[in-house]
């Protein structure tokens, strides 16, 4: 089994956290624990977003970012696979450079 490495540094990218207003969902036990209520959309059971960007994402996508609730982020965020095909799909959607073919 070959494990692919991310093609971009997650601390400069952040595209996955600015890709979809309906992700990340809080669907597992403990999701939301330790996250300020101001960052949770209680009506939808998701993290609050502005546009398609998670409000827990701080910084400029593609330049320098961080998750302000990283230690308490939802399980779906923890399980995101930063593989080239996943990263490139969201980077392309945001108009950011993708991996070389």
């Amino acid at each position: 089994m070959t494990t692919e490495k991310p093609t971009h540094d997650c601390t400069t990218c952040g595209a996955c956290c600015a890709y979809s207003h309906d992700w990340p969902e809080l669907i597992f036990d403990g999701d939301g624990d330790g996250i300020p209520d101001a960052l949770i959309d209680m009506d939808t059971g998701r993290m609050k977003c502005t546009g398609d960007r998670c409000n827990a994402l701080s910084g400029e996508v593609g330049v320098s970012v961080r998750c302000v609730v990283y230690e308490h982020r939802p399980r779906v965020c923890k399980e995101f696979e930063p593989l080239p095909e996943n990263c490139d799909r969201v980077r392309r959607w945001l108009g950011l450079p993708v991996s070389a073919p």
Side-chain angles (χ1 to χ4, degrees):
M1 180 175 154
T2 304
T3 303
E4 296 181 66
K5 294 184 179 182
T7 55
H8 304 282
D9 176 15
C10 294
T11 62
T12 60
C13 183
C16 58
C17 301
Y19 175 67
S20 174
H21 72 278
D22 62 0
W23 184 88
E25 294 181 283
L26 307 174
I27 55 177
F28 295 98
D29 287 342
D31 277 355
D33 291 354
I35 299 175
D37 288 346
L39 293 176
I40 298 175
D41 183 337
M42 298 296 183
D43 293 334
T44 63
R46 299 181 174 114
M47 295 293 293
K48 283 188 179 175
C49 294
T50 300
D52 290 325
R53 180 184 170 130
C54 178
N55 286 355
L57 183 65
S58 175
E60 185 179 345
V61 174
V63 178
S64 178
V65 295
R66 72 180 190 90
C67 174
V68 299
V69 296
Y70 187 81
E71 292 300 318
H72 302 287
R73 69 196 185 280
R75 187 164 141 193
V76 70
C77 298
K78 293 176 184 175
E79 292 180 350
F80 177 78
E81 295 286 337
L83 300 173
E85 61 270 17
N86 295 337
C87 295
D88 285 352
R89 178 172 34 91
V90 296
R91 289 178 64 82
R92 193 174 289 109
W93 187 81
L94 290 167
L96 296 171
V98 298
S99 305

